[in-house]
PDB file of all heavy atoms in Angstrom:
ATOM      1  N   LYS V  14     -20.894  75.517-111.409  1.00 92.00           N
ATOM      2  CA  LYS V  14     -20.217  76.289-112.450  1.00 92.00           C
ATOM      3  C   LYS V  14     -18.729  75.979-112.511  1.00 92.00           C
ATOM      4  O   LYS V  14     -18.063  76.260-113.517  1.00 92.00           O
ATOM      5  CB  LYS V  14     -20.429  77.785-112.212  1.00 92.00           C
ATOM      6  CG  LYS V  14     -19.839  78.293-110.901  1.00 92.00           C
ATOM      7  CD  LYS V  14     -20.168  79.748-110.669  1.00 92.00           C
ATOM      8  CE  LYS V  14     -19.571  80.234-109.336  1.00 92.00           C
ATOM      9  NZ  LYS V  14     -19.922  81.659-109.068  1.00 92.00           N
ATOM     10  N   ASP V  15     -18.212  75.389-111.424  1.00 92.00           N
ATOM     11  CA  ASP V  15     -16.785  75.057-111.389  1.00 92.00           C
ATOM     12  C   ASP V  15     -16.506  73.617-111.811  1.00 92.00           C
ATOM     13  O   ASP V  15     -15.356  73.169-111.759  1.00 92.00           O
ATOM     14  CB  ASP V  15     -16.225  75.281-109.982  1.00 92.00           C
ATOM     15  CG  ASP V  15     -16.296  76.737-109.556  1.00 92.00           C
ATOM     16  OD1 ASP V  15     -16.223  77.610-110.445  1.00 92.00           O
ATOM     17  OD2 ASP V  15     -16.443  77.000-108.346  1.00 92.00           O
ATOM     18  N   VAL V  16     -17.555  72.885-112.201  1.00 91.00           N
ATOM     19  CA  VAL V  16     -17.382  71.494-112.621  1.00 91.00           C
ATOM     20  C   VAL V  16     -17.110  71.461-114.116  1.00 91.00           C
ATOM     21  O   VAL V  16     -17.864  72.027-114.919  1.00 91.00           O
ATOM     22  CB  VAL V  16     -18.636  70.661-112.288  1.00 91.00           C
ATOM     23  CG1 VAL V  16     -18.485  69.240-112.807  1.00 91.00           C
ATOM     24  CG2 VAL V  16     -18.893  70.657-110.789  1.00 91.00           C
ATOM     25  N   GLN V  17     -16.045  70.797-114.487  1.00 84.00           N
ATOM     26  CA  GLN V  17     -15.683  70.702-115.896  1.00 84.00           C
ATOM     27  C   GLN V  17     -16.713  69.892-116.659  1.00 84.00           C
ATOM     28  O   GLN V  17     -17.175  68.852-116.191  1.00 84.00           O
ATOM     29  CB  GLN V  17     -14.294  70.062-116.026  1.00 84.00           C
ATOM     30  CG  GLN V  17     -13.791  69.964-117.456  1.00 84.00           C
ATOM     31  CD  GLN V  17     -12.421  69.332-117.527  1.00 84.00           C
ATOM     32  OE1 GLN V  17     -11.825  69.008-116.507  1.00 84.00           O
ATOM     33  NE2 GLN V  17     -11.915  69.155-118.741  1.00 84.00           N
ATOM     34  N   ASP V  18     -17.064  70.355-117.837  1.00 80.00           N
ATOM     35  CA  ASP V  18     -18.053  69.660-118.667  1.00 80.00           C
ATOM     36  C   ASP V  18     -17.670  68.196-118.870  1.00 80.00           C
ATOM     37  O   ASP V  18     -16.529  67.883-119.229  1.00 80.00           O
ATOM     38  CB  ASP V  18     -18.181  70.337-120.031  1.00 80.00           C
ATOM     39  CG  ASP V  18     -18.921  71.661-119.961  1.00 80.00           C
ATOM     40  OD1 ASP V  18     -19.399  71.997-118.863  1.00 80.00           O
ATOM     41  OD2 ASP V  18     -18.996  72.344-120.989  1.00 80.00           O
ATOM     42  N   GLY V  19     -18.658  67.311-118.623  1.00 78.00           N
ATOM     43  CA  GLY V  19     -18.457  65.898-118.885  1.00 78.00           C
ATOM     44  C   GLY V  19     -17.592  65.172-117.884  1.00 78.00           C
ATOM     45  O   GLY V  19     -17.265  63.999-118.084  1.00 78.00           O
ATOM     46  N   SER V  20     -17.219  65.817-116.796  1.00 83.00           N
ATOM     47  CA  SER V  20     -16.303  65.193-115.850  1.00 83.00           C
ATOM     48  C   SER V  20     -16.999  64.311-114.833  1.00 83.00           C
ATOM     49  O   SER V  20     -16.336  63.576-114.101  1.00 83.00           O
ATOM     50  CB  SER V  20     -15.505  66.274-115.105  1.00 83.00           C
ATOM     51  OG  SER V  20     -16.379  67.107-114.348  1.00 83.00           O
ATOM     52  N   VAL V  21     -18.327  64.367-114.761  1.00 89.00           N
ATOM     53  CA  VAL V  21     -19.044  63.581-113.769  1.00 89.00           C
ATOM     54  C   VAL V  21     -20.424  63.214-114.304  1.00 89.00           C
ATOM     55  O   VAL V  21     -21.018  63.968-115.084  1.00 89.00           O
ATOM     56  CB  VAL V  21     -19.174  64.371-112.432  1.00 89.00           C
ATOM     57  CG1 VAL V  21     -20.039  65.606-112.609  1.00 89.00           C
ATOM     58  CG2 VAL V  21     -19.731  63.485-111.320  1.00 89.00           C
ATOM     59  N   GLU V  22     -20.911  62.042-113.906  1.00 93.00           N
ATOM     60  CA  GLU V  22     -22.260  61.612-114.283  1.00 93.00           C
ATOM     61  C   GLU V  22     -23.247  62.103-113.220  1.00 93.00           C
ATOM     62  O   GLU V  22     -23.110  61.791-112.035  1.00 93.00           O
ATOM     63  CB  GLU V  22     -22.334  60.089-114.367  1.00 93.00           C
ATOM     64  CG  GLU V  22     -23.736  59.584-114.677  1.00 93.00           C
ATOM     65  CD  GLU V  22     -23.905  58.104-114.361  1.00 93.00           C
ATOM     66  OE1 GLU V  22     -23.097  57.568-113.586  1.00 93.00           O
ATOM     67  OE2 GLU V  22     -24.859  57.519-114.893  1.00 93.00           O
ATOM     68  N   LEU V  23     -24.239  62.867-113.639  1.00 94.00           N
ATOM     69  CA  LEU V  23     -25.262  63.366-112.730  1.00 94.00           C
ATOM     70  C   LEU V  23     -26.433  62.391-112.714  1.00 94.00           C
ATOM     71  O   LEU V  23     -27.023  62.110-113.750  1.00 94.00           O
ATOM     72  CB  LEU V  23     -25.743  64.746-113.168  1.00 94.00           C
ATOM     73  CG  LEU V  23     -24.694  65.853-113.047  1.00 94.00           C
ATOM     74  CD1 LEU V  23     -25.134  67.092-113.792  1.00 94.00           C
ATOM     75  CD2 LEU V  23     -24.426  66.170-111.587  1.00 94.00           C
ATOM     76  N   ILE V  24     -26.761  61.867-111.535  1.00 96.00           N
ATOM     77  CA  ILE V  24     -27.841  60.880-111.454  1.00 96.00           C
ATOM     78  C   ILE V  24     -29.169  61.492-111.039  1.00 96.00           C
ATOM     79  O   ILE V  24     -30.218  60.866-111.204  1.00 96.00           O
ATOM     80  CB  ILE V  24     -27.476  59.743-110.486  1.00 96.00           C
ATOM     81  CG1 ILE V  24     -27.278  60.273-109.056  1.00 96.00           C
ATOM     82  CG2 ILE V  24     -26.247  58.999-110.964  1.00 96.00           C
ATOM     83  CD1 ILE V  24     -27.152  59.165-108.023  1.00 96.00           C
ATOM     84  N   ASP V  25     -29.156  62.719-110.513  1.00 96.00           N
ATOM     85  CA  ASP V  25     -30.418  63.334-110.094  1.00 96.00           C
ATOM     86  C   ASP V  25     -30.204  64.805-109.783  1.00 96.00           C
ATOM     87  O   ASP V  25     -29.062  65.281-109.669  1.00 96.00           O
ATOM     88  CB  ASP V  25     -30.975  62.616-108.857  1.00 96.00           C
ATOM     89  CG  ASP V  25     -32.470  62.862-108.659  1.00 96.00           C
ATOM     90  OD1 ASP V  25     -33.101  63.473-109.540  1.00 96.00           O
ATOM     91  OD2 ASP V  25     -33.005  62.437-107.622  1.00 96.00           O
ATOM     92  N   LYS V  26     -31.312  65.500-109.652  1.00 96.00           N
ATOM     93  CA  LYS V  26     -31.313  66.919-109.314  1.00 96.00           C
ATOM     94  C   LYS V  26     -32.286  67.134-108.162  1.00 96.00           C
ATOM     95  O   LYS V  26     -33.408  66.633-108.188  1.00 96.00           O
ATOM     96  CB  LYS V  26     -31.735  67.753-110.525  1.00 96.00           C
ATOM     97  CG  LYS V  26     -31.957  69.232-110.237  1.00 96.00           C
ATOM     98  CD  LYS V  26     -32.418  69.949-111.510  1.00 96.00           C
ATOM     99  CE  LYS V  26     -32.749  71.413-111.228  1.00 96.00           C
ATOM    100  NZ  LYS V  26     -33.201  72.105-112.447  1.00 96.00           N
ATOM    101  N   LEU V  27     -31.859  67.852-107.140  1.00 96.00           N
ATOM    102  CA  LEU V  27     -32.698  68.115-105.973  1.00 96.00           C
ATOM    103  C   LEU V  27     -32.740  69.609-105.706  1.00 96.00           C
ATOM    104  O   LEU V  27     -31.695  70.247-105.512  1.00 96.00           O
ATOM    105  CB  LEU V  27     -32.143  67.374-104.743  1.00 96.00           C
ATOM    106  CG  LEU V  27     -32.930  67.544-103.431  1.00 96.00           C
ATOM    107  CD1 LEU V  27     -34.316  66.910-103.559  1.00 96.00           C
ATOM    108  CD2 LEU V  27     -32.171  66.945-102.260  1.00 96.00           C
ATOM    109  N   ASN V  28     -33.946  70.160-105.676  1.00 94.00           N
ATOM    110  CA  ASN V  28     -34.141  71.581-105.408  1.00 94.00           C
ATOM    111  C   ASN V  28     -34.785  71.735-104.040  1.00 94.00           C
ATOM    112  O   ASN V  28     -35.936  71.334-103.846  1.00 94.00           O
ATOM    113  CB  ASN V  28     -35.025  72.201-106.490  1.00 94.00           C
ATOM    114  CG  ASN V  28     -35.195  73.707-106.314  1.00 94.00           C
ATOM    115  OD1 ASN V  28     -34.795  74.280-105.296  1.00 94.00           O
ATOM    116  ND2 ASN V  28     -35.770  74.354-107.307  1.00 94.00           N
ATOM    117  N   ILE V  29     -34.069  72.286-103.081  1.00 92.00           N
ATOM    118  CA  ILE V  29     -34.632  72.499-101.750  1.00 92.00           C
ATOM    119  C   ILE V  29     -34.660  73.980-101.385  1.00 92.00           C
ATOM    120  O   ILE V  29     -34.659  74.345-100.212  1.00 92.00           O
ATOM    121  CB  ILE V  29     -33.862  71.693-100.674  1.00 92.00           C
ATOM    122  CG1 ILE V  29     -32.375  71.988-100.719  1.00 92.00           C
ATOM    123  CG2 ILE V  29     -34.099  70.208-100.859  1.00 92.00           C
ATOM    124  CD1 ILE V  29     -31.601  71.289 -99.606  1.00 92.00           C
ATOM    125  N   LEU V  30     -34.711  74.818-102.400  1.00 90.00           N
ATOM    126  CA  LEU V  30     -34.892  76.246-102.169  1.00 90.00           C
ATOM    127  C   LEU V  30     -36.369  76.539-101.895  1.00 90.00           C
ATOM    128  O   LEU V  30     -37.240  75.914-102.498  1.00 90.00           O
ATOM    129  CB  LEU V  30     -34.452  77.053-103.391  1.00 90.00           C
ATOM    130  CG  LEU V  30     -32.951  77.150-103.668  1.00 90.00           C
ATOM    131  CD1 LEU V  30     -32.728  77.802-105.018  1.00 90.00           C
ATOM    132  CD2 LEU V  30     -32.255  77.944-102.567  1.00 90.00           C
ATOM    133  N   PRO V  31     -36.660  77.473-101.015  1.00 83.00           N
ATOM    134  CA  PRO V  31     -38.056  77.887-100.854  1.00 83.00           C
ATOM    135  C   PRO V  31     -38.538  78.547-102.141  1.00 83.00           C
ATOM    136  O   PRO V  31     -37.738  78.996-102.967  1.00 83.00           O
ATOM    137  CB  PRO V  31     -38.001  78.890 -99.693  1.00 83.00           C
ATOM    138  CG  PRO V  31     -36.589  79.375 -99.678  1.00 83.00           C
ATOM    139  CD  PRO V  31     -35.748  78.224-100.142  1.00 83.00           C
ATOM    140  N   GLU V  32     -39.843  78.567-102.319  1.00 82.00           N
ATOM    141  CA  GLU V  32     -40.411  79.158-103.531  1.00 82.00           C
ATOM    142  C   GLU V  32     -39.944  80.599-103.670  1.00 82.00           C
ATOM    143  O   GLU V  32     -40.101  81.417-102.764  1.00 82.00           O
ATOM    144  CB  GLU V  32     -41.940  79.112-103.487  1.00 82.00           C
ATOM    145  CG  GLU V  32     -42.591  79.565-104.772  1.00 82.00           C
ATOM    146  CD  GLU V  32     -44.098  79.394-104.747  1.00 82.00           C
ATOM    147  OE1 GLU V  32     -44.614  78.802-103.780  1.00 82.00           O
ATOM    148  OE2 GLU V  32     -44.761  79.848-105.693  1.00 82.00           O
ATOM    149  N   GLY V  33     -39.349  80.902-104.790  1.00 79.00           N
ATOM    150  CA  GLY V  33     -38.817  82.241-105.017  1.00 79.00           C
ATOM    151  C   GLY V  33     -37.473  82.477-104.366  1.00 79.00           C
ATOM    152  O   GLY V  33     -36.925  83.579-104.457  1.00 79.00           O
ATOM    153  N   GLY V  34     -36.929  81.445-103.703  1.00 83.00           N
ATOM    154  CA  GLY V  34     -35.658  81.602-103.014  1.00 83.00           C
ATOM    155  C   GLY V  34     -34.486  81.662-103.974  1.00 83.00           C
ATOM    156  O   GLY V  34     -34.563  81.210-105.111  1.00 83.00           O
ATOM    157  N   VAL V  35     -33.394  82.216-103.490  1.00 86.00           N
ATOM    158  CA  VAL V  35     -32.194  82.380-104.294  1.00 86.00           C
ATOM    159  C   VAL V  35     -31.075  81.551-103.678  1.00 86.00           C
ATOM    160  O   VAL V  35     -30.844  81.587-102.472  1.00 86.00           O
ATOM    161  CB  VAL V  35     -31.758  83.856-104.371  1.00 86.00           C
ATOM    162  CG1 VAL V  35     -30.469  83.999-105.168  1.00 86.00           C
ATOM    163  CG2 VAL V  35     -32.870  84.698-104.983  1.00 86.00           C
ATOM    164  N   GLY V  36     -30.399  80.798-104.501  1.00 88.00           N
ATOM    165  CA  GLY V  36     -29.278  79.997-104.026  1.00 88.00           C
ATOM    166  C   GLY V  36     -28.329  79.729-105.161  1.00 88.00           C
ATOM    167  O   GLY V  36     -28.255  80.478-106.129  1.00 88.00           O
ATOM    168  N   GLU V  37     -27.592  78.634-105.066  1.00 88.00           N
ATOM    169  CA  GLU V  37     -26.632  78.291-106.103  1.00 88.00           C
ATOM    170  C   GLU V  37     -26.697  76.800-106.387  1.00 88.00           C
ATOM    171  O   GLU V  37     -27.031  76.003-105.514  1.00 88.00           O
ATOM    172  CB  GLU V  37     -25.217  78.661-105.664  1.00 88.00           C
ATOM    173  CG  GLU V  37     -24.191  78.473-106.774  1.00 88.00           C
ATOM    174  CD  GLU V  37     -22.847  79.088-106.450  1.00 88.00           C
ATOM    175  OE1 GLU V  37     -22.724  79.722-105.388  1.00 88.00           O
ATOM    176  OE2 GLU V  37     -21.922  78.926-107.267  1.00 88.00           O
ATOM    177  N   GLU V  38     -26.382  76.433-107.628  1.00 93.00           N
ATOM    178  CA  GLU V  38     -26.325  75.031-108.001  1.00 93.00           C
ATOM    179  C   GLU V  38     -24.999  74.453-107.530  1.00 93.00           C
ATOM    180  O   GLU V  38     -23.928  74.944-107.901  1.00 93.00           O
ATOM    181  CB  GLU V  38     -26.465  74.873-109.513  1.00 93.00           C
ATOM    182  CG  GLU V  38     -27.850  75.223-110.026  1.00 93.00           C
ATOM    183  CD  GLU V  38     -27.956  75.003-111.523  1.00 93.00           C
ATOM    184  OE1 GLU V  38     -26.914  74.972-112.193  1.00 93.00           O
ATOM    185  OE2 GLU V  38     -29.104  74.865-111.995  1.00 93.00           O
ATOM    186  N   LEU V  39     -25.093  73.399-106.728  1.00 96.00           N
ATOM    187  CA  LEU V  39     -23.907  72.738-106.207  1.00 96.00           C
ATOM    188  C   LEU V  39     -23.794  71.345-106.804  1.00 96.00           C
ATOM    189  O   LEU V  39     -24.795  70.742-107.203  1.00 96.00           O
ATOM    190  CB  LEU V  39     -23.962  72.640-104.685  1.00 96.00           C
ATOM    191  CG  LEU V  39     -24.187  73.944-103.914  1.00 96.00           C
ATOM    192  CD1 LEU V  39     -24.230  73.661-102.423  1.00 96.00           C
ATOM    193  CD2 LEU V  39     -23.097  74.954-104.242  1.00 96.00           C
ATOM    194  N   CYS V  40     -22.586  70.828-106.828  1.00 96.00           N
ATOM    195  CA  CYS V  40     -22.333  69.468-107.298  1.00 96.00           C
ATOM    196  C   CYS V  40     -21.791  68.661-106.127  1.00 96.00           C
ATOM    197  O   CYS V  40     -20.709  68.938-105.622  1.00 96.00           O
ATOM    198  CB  CYS V  40     -21.328  69.482-108.443  1.00 96.00           C
ATOM    199  SG  CYS V  40     -20.945  67.829-109.088  1.00 96.00           S
ATOM    200  N   LEU V  41     -22.582  67.678-105.682  1.00 96.00           N
ATOM    201  CA  LEU V  41     -22.193  66.791-104.589  1.00 96.00           C
ATOM    202  C   LEU V  41     -21.768  65.478-105.234  1.00 96.00           C
ATOM    203  O   LEU V  41     -22.606  64.663-105.630  1.00 96.00           O
ATOM    204  CB  LEU V  41     -23.378  66.599-103.653  1.00 96.00           C
ATOM    205  CG  LEU V  41     -23.145  65.897-102.321  1.00 96.00           C
ATOM    206  CD1 LEU V  41     -22.099  66.621-101.491  1.00 96.00           C
ATOM    207  CD2 LEU V  41     -24.446  65.805-101.549  1.00 96.00           C
ATOM    208  N   SER V  42     -20.479  65.279-105.382  1.00 96.00           N
ATOM    209  CA  SER V  42     -19.977  64.161-106.179  1.00 96.00           C
ATOM    210  C   SER V  42     -19.265  63.126-105.323  1.00 96.00           C
ATOM    211  O   SER V  42     -18.562  63.464-104.371  1.00 96.00           O
ATOM    212  CB  SER V  42     -19.027  64.669-107.272  1.00 96.00           C
ATOM    213  OG  SER V  42     -17.905  65.312-106.700  1.00 96.00           O
ATOM    214  N   ALA V  43     -19.481  61.853-105.679  1.00 96.00           N
ATOM    215  CA  ALA V  43     -18.836  60.736-105.000  1.00 96.00           C
ATOM    216  C   ALA V  43     -17.733  60.184-105.889  1.00 96.00           C
ATOM    217  O   ALA V  43     -17.961  59.885-107.061  1.00 96.00           O
ATOM    218  CB  ALA V  43     -19.842  59.640-104.696  1.00 96.00           C
ATOM    219  N   SER V  44     -16.547  60.050-105.326  1.00 94.00           N
ATOM    220  CA  SER V  44     -15.466  59.367-106.035  1.00 94.00           C
ATOM    221  C   SER V  44     -15.287  58.009-105.378  1.00 94.00           C
ATOM    222  O   SER V  44     -15.157  57.910-104.159  1.00 94.00           O
ATOM    223  CB  SER V  44     -14.173  60.184-105.953  1.00 94.00           C
ATOM    224  OG  SER V  44     -13.781  60.394-104.615  1.00 94.00           O
ATOM    225  N   GLY V  45     -15.323  56.947-106.164  1.00 93.00           N
ATOM    226  CA  GLY V  45     -15.328  55.613-105.593  1.00 93.00           C
ATOM    227  C   GLY V  45     -16.745  55.225-105.196  1.00 93.00           C
ATOM    228  O   GLY V  45     -17.713  55.927-105.502  1.00 93.00           O
ATOM    229  N   ASN V  46     -16.889  54.112-104.493  1.00 95.00           N
ATOM    230  CA  ASN V  46     -18.204  53.598-104.128  1.00 95.00           C
ATOM    231  C   ASN V  46     -18.599  54.021-102.722  1.00 95.00           C
ATOM    232  O   ASN V  46     -17.844  53.829-101.763  1.00 95.00           O
ATOM    233  CB  ASN V  46     -18.221  52.068-104.210  1.00 95.00           C
ATOM    234  CG  ASN V  46     -18.052  51.561-105.630  1.00 95.00           C
ATOM    235  OD1 ASN V  46     -18.404  52.254-106.583  1.00 95.00           O
ATOM    236  ND2 ASN V  46     -17.521  50.360-105.779  1.00 95.00           N
ATOM    237  N   VAL V  47     -19.800  54.564-102.606  1.00 96.00           N
ATOM    238  CA  VAL V  47     -20.394  54.892-101.310  1.00 96.00           C
ATOM    239  C   VAL V  47     -21.827  54.361-101.318  1.00 96.00           C
ATOM    240  O   VAL V  47     -22.435  54.197-102.379  1.00 96.00           O
ATOM    241  CB  VAL V  47     -20.382  56.413-101.034  1.00 96.00           C
ATOM    242  CG1 VAL V  47     -18.974  56.913-100.799  1.00 96.00           C
ATOM    243  CG2 VAL V  47     -21.030  57.175-102.191  1.00 96.00           C
TER     244      VAL V  47
END
């Protein structure tokens, strides 16, 4: 929610919450090459 619109390219989505679990959407971003 704190990531500015269009500021990063999202290459995938990973959900590791248990079924019915509650968490938050995080953005794990790389700047430069890794």
